[in-house]
Each structure stands twice: as C-alpha cells, then as structure tokens.
Amino acid sequence: MKPFSAFALLSISLLCAVVGTSNLLMEIQPYCKEIPKKIPLCDQNYAPVCGTNGVTYGNECRLCAAVWATRVKIRIQKFGSC
C-alpha cells in the first residue's frame, strides 16, 4: 500500500471513530502516561468520554484516574456521554 493511501485510510478511520459512526465499534486507548499514578490531579474541563465499562467520565484524565485506582483496563468507547 502506498504511504498516502495508508495515511488516507487511517485518517478516515479516525474521523469515523471521533464522529461516532454506529457501525464502527472501536475502543480508543486513553493517553494516561503523563497523569501521575499516585494522586492524579485532573482539571475541571468538561470533555466527557464514555468508558468501556459504561461509565461517563468528565474527561480523559478522570478516566485515567479510575484506571489507576481500580487497576482495571478501561478504554474510551466514544467521546461524549454513554
């Protein structure tokens, strides 16, 4: 596959995941590397994400805090409320 074709396919896939296409079930790995593991200090910005456990978190940081607290692998099912 040509590099441009691969880039175009990846871009379309990501766009569909963000838009929330109902036919596409994709789990997104949250970016938790920069969140402190001991006491995560999350900002108050409301940017809800729906976890694969069916819980709506106020933002991705709060989802990461739940991952650290419970030691359960939770991914982002979709951006927005569950």
Side-chain angles (χ1 to χ4, degrees), residues 3-30:
F4 179 76
S5 298
F7 177 76
L9 182 60
L10 178 61
S11 297
I12 291 169
S13 297
L14 289 173
L15 179 62
C16 289
V18 170
V19 171
T21 304
S22 61
N23 295 343
L24 181 64
L25 296 176
M26 176 184 278
E27 295 177 359
I28 302 164
Q29 177 69 36

Side-chain angles (χ1 to χ4, degrees), residues 3-73:
F4 179 76
S5 298
F7 177 76
L9 182 60
L10 178 61
S11 297
I12 291 169
S13 297
L14 289 173
L15 179 62
C16 289
V18 170
V19 171
T21 304
S22 61
N23 295 343
L24 181 64
L25 296 176
M26 176 184 278
E27 295 177 359
I28 302 164
Q29 177 69 36
Y31 187 72
C32 298
K33 292 181 182 182
E34 295 194 15
I35 306 219
K37 292 182 181 181
K38 291 186 178 181
I39 305 173
L41 299 173
C42 299
D43 58 26
Q44 298 298 318
N45 292 338
Y46 187 67
V49 293
C50 178
T52 51
N53 59 350
V55 176
T56 300
Y57 296 93
N59 57 39
E60 191 169 350
C61 178
R62 294 185 182 271
L63 183 143
C64 291
V67 170
W68 298 131
T70 62
R71 298 181 185 211
V72 174
K73 183 173 126 182

